[in-house]
Structure formats: C-alpha cells, structure tokens
Amino acid sequence: MDIIRTIDEIDHKILTILQEKARIPNAEVARQVGMAPSAVLERIRKLEERGIIEGYEVRLNPLPFKQGLAAFVLVEIDRSRGNGSLEQRLAEVSGVQEVHQIAGEDGYLLKVRAADPKALGQLLRDQLLTIPGVKGSRTQVVLNTVKETRRIELE
Amino acid sequence: MDIIRTIDEIDHKILTILQEKARIPNAEVARQVGMAPSAVLERIRKLEERGIIEGYEVRLNPLPFKQGLAAFVLVEIDRSRGNGSLEQRLAEVSGVQEVHQIAGEDGYLLKVRAADPKALGQLLRDQLLTIPGVKGSRTQVVLNTVKETRRIELE
DNA sequence: TTTGAAACACACGGATA
DNA sequence: TATCCGTGTGTTTCAAA
C-alpha cells in the first residue's frame, strides 16, 4: 500500500489550510483553493483513506485537568529479559503521551504529563519503575514550553 | 482570569467525545450527551473562550512529506551571554516542532523532524549550532514511535 | 461540476431555576 | 445570572445526475 503517490498542488493547498485551522468548513476550504466544495470534500476523503490525514485532534489546555507539568523520561530497559509487552505497558501508564524507542541506548524516551513534581515522582516510582524489564530512568522536567505543535512543513 | 471554574460532568463528556474525534458534528455531540444542539454549541464556545479548548489540529502522516525521522535534541546554551531571542530562533528552525526549557541543565529540549539522518545532521550543523548562544547539542534519534498523542486524562 | 434534499450551524428569544 | 430548549434562516454535506 503506497501511501505516497501524488500529492499535487491542490492537495498541498488543502492540507496547508487544514493545518492552520482544522475545523474550518469544507466550503470555506473550497473557496480558498478555488474549487467546488464536493471536489474538495472528495479530496479530503481520499487523503484520509490514503493515510495522509491521520485524524483530527482537539488541543486541550492541560492546566484545568491538573496535568500542567510535562517531563521527558528516558527509560532504560534490560535487554536480556524477554521484552514482550513492555512497550505496551509503558504506553498504558497514565499521563504518558508519547513513547519512542531511541537509538544509542537500550531504552525508550517518554513524554509524560502530571499535576506536579510530587505526582510525577509517584508515577515514576509506582507505575514506571515497577514494570518488569525497566532498569531505571532519567527524567528531564519541563520548566517552560516555548513551542509545541505537530505541524509539519509540507516541503 | 480563572480558567478553571467548574468543569461539570457534561463538559467532561463533551471533551471526551472531542478528544476521541475532533471533527464530529455538533449535532452528533448533542445526541451523545443527550442535550439540545444549541446548548452544546454554547458550552463548546465557552470552553474555547475560557481557554480550556485551545484549538483543533489535523494530524498528518509525516512520511509523505519526507519528515519521517524524529529526534530529540538537547541544546546546551551559554548562560553568560544575553539570551535575548534565542528561544524564538530555536522555535523558528525548520523541522522544530517543540521547544521546552528544562530544569537541571542550561538548555532546551527540542523535538525535531527531518527526512533522514543526513538531513538531521545538516539541520543541526547549519541551523541550530550556528545560533548565537548555542554551545552544543546532544541528539537522541527515534527509531520507532510506539505512541504519540496529545490526549490528556480528564481526571 | 452541478444540483437538490436532508442534515447541520448558529443566532435569537423564551423558559426555567 | 446562568443554562437550558425550540425555532428560523442560511449553510453544509453528500450522493446522484
């Protein structure tokens, strides 16, 4: 299944508009690209089918939900053991937003959210370090987030 | 301006639905929470006004756009110099999706996307390390992303 | 691409508490 | 004062022509 195929200029334009503001009405997109709404709708559908558009997300302020503290946690694992469902277990820990396997270390880099340092500490101690196969961790706490987007440059 | 105030059970339900699939029609949300569409619309508006909903994003597959490689870059900065616009300049580098000031090091943690290791190397050498005030960097390349979401648990 | 019917968005007003 | 609902008007969706 080749996802790539041709992303032509019009698709490009549509995606640029959607990256700007995902909840814009289809007719408005059509106006901006100078096409009929139905044609644009069909293109968006196909972009979804082809896996180029993976979904639409609401961006919530983490503060009201007591998730204001972010941290990056490097989890060192014990390769000698059968890893098995380790990745899955890391991903399931509450507050874990991202799990990346990284090069150069036997481990994973996690992006985690918690209420405050104390809650983060508990999370690490009680939920992460208790997972079989986890040897240890190193945590970098975020003091301030300057930029946080998932926007990509459409080359 | 207190953002928090009361997030009641219905708000909670609405946000859960929107986190699942942000592009669902308002009328459908109304059906699921068992309220009139106009009332639901008003609630969503207020959640936006209160800054609880920050926006809506499309999630794109980075591969078709040659941004398949992700990396986390720890940028060490020289505190002795006037920092000035350093944060801004880091945020503006192409491929940089996130910029976090972190505790325990004089530096920033960046999430970066590039086409491949070569492109990442060029980015670091030509765009990041040339910024005044940047002393050095340590890069962790992502081999595989197990989980990547910005969803938060609504307590 | 156009078109038309059904579904939807959204502002307004009234009811409720 | 705040939140609810119903209605009316204009818009959007979506599939068939």
Side-chain angles (χ1 to χ4, degrees), chain A residues 11-24 29 32 44 47 52-57 59 148-155, chain B residues 23 54-63 65 67 96-97 113 150:
Chain A
D11 287 334
H12 197 281
K13 234 168 162 176
I14 291 171
L15 293 173
T16 302
I17 293 165
L18 287 180
Q19 281 211 121
E20 205 77 35
K21 190 172 183 304
R23 257 206 149 192
I24 193 170
V29 181
Q32 291 188 31
I44 291 178
L47 289 166
I52 293 168
I53 291 177
E54 292 180 344
Y56 305 89
E57 286 196 346
R59 205 169 62 244
E148 189 173 29
T149 181
R150 78 184 312 152
R151 220 151 133 177
I152 56 178
E153 349 248 318
L154 304 184
E155 62 181 20
Chain B
R23 258 208 146 190
E54 292 180 344
Y56 305 91
E57 283 197 347
V58 62
R59 202 168 64 244
L60 296 184
N61 183 340
L63 269 173
F65 305 102
Q67 299 279 124
V96 170
Q97 291 187 314
R113 292 206 157 270
R150 78 181 313 149

Side-chain angles (χ1 to χ4, degrees), chain A residues 70-130:
Chain A
F72 291 88
V73 181
L74 184 70
V75 175
E76 301 164 273
I77 68 159
D78 188 351
R79 275 260 176 265
S80 65
R81 304 204 191 190
N83 39 19
S85 61
L86 192 133
E87 291 185 354
Q88 209 49 47
R89 297 198 61 181
L90 290 173
E92 281 165 3
V93 170
S94 85
V96 171
Q97 291 187 314
E98 303 186 16
V99 178
H100 305 274
Q101 186 190 352
I102 57 169
E105 328 236 358
D106 284 344
Y108 293 87
L109 187 63
L110 274 51
K111 186 176 180 180
V112 178
R113 291 206 158 270
D116 50 47
K118 185 179 169 188
L120 178 62
Q122 287 177 351
L123 190 152
L124 292 175
R125 197 175 52 247
D126 302 339
Q127 302 207 60
L128 273 178
L129 299 178
T130 55

Side-chain angles (χ1 to χ4, degrees), chain A residues 23, chain B residues 13-14 17-18 24-35 40 44:
Chain A
R23 257 206 149 192
Chain B
K13 231 169 164 180
I14 290 171
I17 293 166
L18 286 181
I24 193 170
N26 179 59
E28 176 60 25
V29 180
R31 236 166 274 136
Q32 291 191 31
V33 300
M35 284 177 71
V40 171
I44 292 178

Side-chain angles (χ1 to χ4, degrees), chain B residues 10-146:
Chain B
I10 296 171
D11 286 335
H12 198 283
K13 231 169 164 180
I14 290 171
L15 293 173
T16 302
I17 293 166
L18 286 181
Q19 281 211 120
E20 204 77 37
K21 191 173 181 303
R23 258 208 146 190
I24 193 170
N26 179 59
E28 176 60 25
V29 180
R31 236 166 274 136
Q32 291 191 31
V33 300
M35 284 177 71
S38 52
V40 171
L41 189 66
E42 199 180 338
R43 274 176 179 269
I44 292 178
R45 280 263 183 69
K46 286 196 177 145
L47 289 167
E48 290 166 356
E49 278 167 23
R50 287 203 266 157
I52 292 167
I53 292 177
E54 292 180 344
Y56 305 91
E57 283 197 347
V58 62
R59 202 168 64 244
L60 296 184
N61 183 340
L63 269 173
F65 305 102
K66 302 193 180 67
Q67 299 279 124
L69 183 73
F72 290 89
V73 180
L74 184 70
V75 175
E76 299 164 272
I77 68 159
D78 187 349
R79 275 258 178 263
S80 65
R81 301 207 193 189
N83 38 19
S85 62
L86 192 134
E87 291 184 355
Q88 209 48 46
R89 296 197 62 179
L90 291 174
E92 281 165 3
V93 170
S94 83
V96 170
Q97 291 187 314
E98 303 186 14
V99 178
H100 306 274
Q101 187 191 349
I102 56 168
E105 327 237 358
D106 284 344
Y108 293 88
L109 187 63
L110 274 51
K111 186 176 180 182
V112 178
R113 292 206 157 270
D116 49 50
K118 185 181 168 187
L120 179 63
Q122 287 177 352
L123 191 153
L124 293 175
R125 198 173 53 246
D126 301 340
Q127 301 206 60
L128 274 178
L129 298 178
T130 56
I131 294 175
V134 171
K135 258 199 331 205
S137 70
R138 275 175 290 155
T139 298
Q140 277 160 334
V141 173
V142 172
L143 297 174
N144 179 38
T145 293
V146 179

